[in-house]
Amino acid sequence: GAVVSQHPSRVICKSGTSVKIECRSLDFQATTMFWYRQFPKQSLMLMATSNEGSKATYEQGVEKDKFLINHASLTLSTLTVTSAHPEDSSFYICSARGIKQGLAGDEQYFGPGTRLTVT
Amino acid sequence: AQKITQTQPGMFVQEKEAVTLDCTYDTSDPSYGLFWYKQPSSGEMIFLIYQGSYDQQNATEGRYSLNFQKARKSANLVISASQLGDSAMYFCAMRDQGAQKLVFGQGTRLTINP
């Protein structure tokens, strides 16, 4: 499989501050990246889809001004949670899709996730 | 619109037994892909198996097999000879042909007892 990294793996921030989460595809070019959030004991909920060089497409109910997504290159996407509040505390998972030599088809690979706690 | 349903919130199985995790789906697209992922307590999503809607045979990957019944719109995951390390959350997901996003089911928490 392919490798997707996320940084940081855990972050604690104070209410009102902004937090940036990075997602990198390490060994393939990610034409599309996805950002999910997952509350405890729940499924993954897609927040937005971003294609390299284009504006992200947000899912219904996700505030684009609060969750800023940048996909400036084929290997890096960032999610910035602006003016974070305790209700933003969650597990954020990125996923990348692209073509990796040696693998069949364009699969979707997940990062290890970032646990955000807003105090 | 795509929809994935996993009706088993939790499953408890004895070690070495086989286990079937249920998944049904709904889509109007004749071409689609079905996926199963495992999520251990660490949170990472581990890809297990993939089935294309036009694949003639059920997908298999080691101890994992997918019981694909197209007419019933079901894609159950079968794990043979379960191991303690199989304890985790399992998610079924689908993606329509040409669509970008993967839609997930609610998940099933599998616990393997020694």
Side-chain angles (χ1 to χ4, degrees):
Chain A
V3 181
V4 176
S5 70
Q6 267 184 255
H7 179 80
S9 58
R10 288 179 178 271
V11 57
I12 301 172
C13 71
K14 292 187 176 180
S15 187
T17 61
S18 295
V19 174
K20 180 185 283 188
I21 303 170
E22 292 186 349
C23 176
R24 294 181 185 273
S25 56
L26 299 183
D27 55 355
F28 70 105
Q29 293 188 326
T31 51
T32 307
M33 284 190 170
F34 307 86
W35 286 96
Y36 295 84
R37 69 187 296 183
Q38 184 181 30
F39 291 110
K41 299 185 180 180
Q42 293 188 22
S43 187
L44 281 72
M45 184 186 77
L46 180 65
M47 299 174 67
T49 301
S50 73
N51 294 301
E52 185 263 339
S54 302
K55 286 185 179 180
T57 301
Y58 289 81
E59 295 297 300
Q60 193 173 10
V62 178
E63 299 175 60
K64 62 180 182 181
D65 294 331
K66 180 169 184 62
F67 299 99
L68 301 179
I69 292 171
N70 184 284
H71 189 173
S73 76
L74 284 171
T75 59
L76 174 65
S77 176
T78 59
L79 167 67
T80 302
V81 183
T82 62
S83 186
H85 288 94
E87 57 265 30
D88 298 324
S89 298
S90 186
F91 191 58
Y92 292 86
I93 306 175
C94 76
S95 178
R97 190 177 174 198
I99 303 293
K100 178 174 166 65
Q101 192 172 7
L103 296 179
D106 63 328
E107 297 300 331
Q108 187 165 335
Y109 302 96
F110 287 82
T114 297
R115 192 163 300 283
L116 169 64
T117 304
V118 185
T119 61
Chain B
Q2 307 161 265
K3 186 177 180 181
I4 290 278
T5 303
Q6 293 179 254
T7 57
Q8 304 155 312
M11 289 275 288
F12 295 85
V13 174
Q14 286 297 119
E15 190 180 7
K16 299 181 184 177
E17 290 183 352
V19 56
T20 297
L21 304 181
D22 295 341
C23 173
T24 58
Y25 60 92
D26 193 20
T27 179
S28 56
D29 196 320
S31 181
Y32 49 88
L34 296 157
F35 304 76
W36 276 93
Y37 288 87
K38 173 184 178 181
Q39 187 181 41
S41 56
S42 60
E44 61 182 314
M45 294 290 284
I46 302 169
F47 167 74
L48 296 178
I49 197 166
Y50 167 82
Q51 179 86 43
S53 59
Y54 291 118
D55 291 345
Q56 294 297 313
Q57 293 185 325
N58 287 343
T60 60
E61 287 287 348
R63 294 186 300 112
Y64 304 108
S65 61
L66 201 152
N67 184 0
F68 182 43
Q69 298 190 37
K70 196 171 183 177
R72 295 184 177 183
K73 294 190 175 180
S74 74
N76 298 340
L77 176 71
V78 180
I79 306 174
S80 63
S82 58
Q83 303 171 356
L84 296 178
D86 294 333
S87 294
M89 280 291 288
Y90 287 81
F91 291 98
C92 180
M94 76 173 294
R95 183 172 64 218
D96 285 342
Q97 176 74 19
Q100 289 190 311
K101 61 184 182 182
L102 205 56
V103 177
F104 285 87
Q106 305 93 317
T108 296
R109 179 166 295 283
L110 175 64
T111 303
I112 307 299
N113 295 315

